[in-house]
Amino acid sequence: MLRIIDARTGEPALAAPVRRGLTRVQAHASGYGAASLRVLLVADLLVRALELGGTPAWLQLTGDRDQAELRAGATALGMHPFEDGRDLAAGVGEAQILHVVGEGGRSPDDGVRISVAPVEGGPATVDARRAVPDADPAVLRLALLSAPRAEPLRLDATALAEARDTLARWRRAVADWARQPSRPVPEELRARLRAAWDDDLDVPAVLNVLRSVGDAGPGLAAGARFETYAYADRLLGLELTRDLGAPA
């Protein structure tokens, strides 16, 4: 069950207090840039985590500047489509509202407030109108996922290069593992992944589980490694299975 820290109280709150009750996830972002994209990405991850737990979620975007550019950037980075949330302050009977906002930003007083720390170095690495700093926008997505959302993120050439190398390595490994017979995700690994993202959406912990799977000894079957990465990618959205069928 996903618990998220409410920035207003500092206490954990249930993201879905009513089983299978609708949760509204509203991103508050204005002005195109890496910091705003990080806010949208956190909102997208919340929706993915809720849906993996069987909770329907409604994703919205609210702001007064560069909304079309932000939606285009979200699409380029593989996020769910954002609906317009400006005229829905009264709500539609949802069981929970999650407001995702940049550090120091403003949001309504209802629901749970989720604060996202700023991004340093973004203007030098992100085109403020095109959203794709690399031939593969998943590189930027992984770079934005690399640090806890409550911590400032340094987005520079080094961070993007590390994300690019990691993504290429993982995709090659997944394509290689897929050539072997499939095996179920080991329950211990499934539990670790769910525990990570249910604990305040701890994405760096999810990435660490994948690193441990990649480095595991021969006792873990290739098919199980493949299924573990594919399962985690339902949250991460990095297209880790993109290179299946490519020449070895």
Side-chain angles (χ1 to χ4, degrees):
M1 186 175 295
L2 175 59
R3 292 180 179 271
I4 203 83
I5 297 297
D6 188 337
R8 292 191 182 96
T9 65
E11 299 294 329
L14 288 175
V18 178
R19 181 173 175 79
R20 301 194 184 281
L22 176 66
T23 293
R24 173 153 59 104
V25 180
Q26 190 163 15
H28 300 265
S30 292
Y32 193 97
S36 291
L37 287 176
R38 193 182 192 193
V39 170
L40 269 60
L41 182 55
V42 170
D44 177 68
L45 292 170
L46 284 168
V47 168
R48 289 169 179 265
L50 288 164
E51 291 179 343
L52 281 166
T55 296
W58 186 13
L59 184 60
Q60 299 174 330
L61 172 61
T62 299
D64 56 10
R65 289 186 295 115
D66 297 342
Q67 298 295 282
E69 290 87 350
L70 285 169
R71 292 174 193 279
T75 299
L77 293 178
M79 300 184 207
H80 287 62
F82 284 81
E83 295 189 29
D84 191 342
R86 289 175 296 181
D87 301 324
L88 296 167
V92 292
E94 61 269 23
Q96 181 65 285
I97 304 174
L98 305 177
H99 295 287
V100 186
V101 60
E103 193 174 90
R106 299 178 62 184
S107 66
D109 293 331
D110 59 349
V112 176
R113 178 186 172 97
I114 299 161
S115 182
V116 181
V119 176
E120 302 171 359
T125 54
V126 179
D127 186 315
R129 291 290 180 257
R130 296 177 61 190
V132 183
D134 193 274
D136 183 356
V139 170
L140 175 58
R141 185 176 176 109
L142 179 54
L144 291 171
L145 294 175
S146 64
R149 70 171 184 279
E151 297 179 4
L153 174 69
R154 181 69 183 174
L155 187 62
D156 54 17
T158 299
L160 289 171
E162 290 176 356
R164 184 183 302 109
D165 292 345
T166 297
L167 192 61
R169 184 172 66 254
W170 283 359
R171 284 174 172 169
R172 283 196 303 270
V174 167
D176 288 342
W177 296 332
R179 296 185 176 93
Q180 303 301 318
S182 179
R183 295 288 186 273
V185 179
E187 283 305 313
E188 181 266 340
L189 290 174
R190 186 186 298 272
R192 286 174 60 192
L193 288 169
R194 291 302 299 264
W197 71 61
D198 280 347
D199 182 14
D200 199 32
L201 201 65
D202 191 350
V203 176
V206 173
L207 297 175
N208 284 337
V209 172
L210 294 188
R211 293 186 184 98
S212 70
V213 170
D215 295 337
L220 184 59
R225 298 179 203 238
F226 168 81
E227 295 295 347
T228 300
Y229 270 63
Y231 176 64
D233 202 37
R234 294 172 63 186
L235 175 80
L236 300 174
L238 296 172
E239 297 185 321
L240 296 179
T241 61
R242 191 192 69 175
D243 293 344
L244 264 62

